[in-house]
Amino acid sequence: MTRISSWLMVIIVVVLVVLVGGRAISAQDKYTLKVPNGLAFSEFKGYEGWQTISVSHNGEMLAVILGNPAMVDAYKAGVPGNGKPFPDGAKMAKIHWNAKKNETAPGQPLVAGTLHDVDFMVKDGKRFSDSGGWGYGEFEYDAASDTFRPGTAADKPPQGNDAKCGFACHTVVKKQDYVFTEYPKR
């Protein structure tokens, strides 16, 4: 190999390392995000592997509702139907996707398309005593930039800008300890 081609190879490798490394550095760490005066994304690290509680379809959205072990154990013990509240430390995550039709599958079912947002709930009676013991957080996803941001009043549906953002809606299920989602038969 000649001296020029060796230097050219070194330059190409350096350029590739800078380009790939720069992209990795610029990628968002969603776990640094926090709802003002409220929940941090990092409080739900690992939610992607939690057990499925239920699924939902609402308008143009599909969702899966996941629960951490404390949440799932409480459901299995009969909460909230047994009149007991969910324990502190119980957490839920609701992942919304824009629904799309699977044109190639029999019956053309609706399936998850692009990610829309991720909602979180955590039971902590001391921290969230003024919102039924629950803290809420909603993080909107932007596919173009592959980033999340806390929800705002400009979003649909509008989100309050604190950990009580979901409380107003959830008061209608106060008798279910402020939780809409039921644990269906398996």
Side-chain angles (χ1 to χ4, degrees):
M1 208 182 258
T2 68
R3 186 180 215 158
I4 292 176
S5 62
S6 295
W7 280 107
L8 183 58
M9 288 295 280
V10 169
I11 291 171
I12 289 171
V13 168
V14 168
V15 168
L16 286 174
V17 167
V18 168
L19 288 175
V20 172
R23 182 178 171 108
I25 290 169
S26 68
Q28 180 194 40
D29 179 3
K30 64 185 176 186
Y31 294 111
T32 63
L33 295 175
K34 183 178 180 180
V35 172
N37 301 314
L39 302 179
F41 214 117
S42 62
E43 294 179 64
F44 297 86
K45 199 166 199 162
Y47 72 92
E48 302 93 333
W50 291 351
Q51 185 175 332
T52 299
I53 295 169
S54 192
V55 295
S56 70
H57 173 221
N58 189 353
E60 300 295 316
M61 299 287 185
L62 294 176
V64 63
I65 299 96
L66 308 171
N68 73 347
M71 190 74 186
V72 172
D73 289 347
Y75 271 122
K76 288 179 179 178
V79 175
N82 62 8
K84 294 182 180 179
F86 288 96
D88 278 3
K91 296 179 181 182
M92 298 176 75
K94 187 173 188 180
I95 306 169
H96 289 102
W97 292 275
N98 295 302
K100 70 175 186 176
K101 196 180 284 187
N102 183 338
E103 303 286 341
T104 59
Q108 298 182 338
L110 290 177
V111 296
T114 56
L115 181 62
H116 185 272
D117 66 83
V118 180
D119 304 340
F120 296 123
M121 286 176 63
V122 62
K123 183 73 177 268
D124 186 330
K126 290 180 185 174
R127 188 172 166 202
F128 304 111
S129 61
D130 59 345
S131 56
W134 289 96
Y136 304 86
E138 194 265 351
F139 296 89
E140 292 284 321
Y141 179 72
D142 179 59
S145 64
D146 189 28
T147 60
F148 287 90
R149 64 167 174 76
T152 69
D155 293 318
K156 292 181 183 161
Q159 300 296 317
N161 210 8
D162 61 21
K164 294 184 277 185
C165 65
F167 184 59
C169 294
H170 285 250
T171 57
V172 298
V173 286
K174 182 178 180 179
K175 289 183 180 179
Q176 288 87 27
D177 195 18
Y178 301 95
V179 176
F180 285 107
T181 306
E182 294 180 13
Y183 192 71
K185 180 88 173 142
R186 317 265 149 160

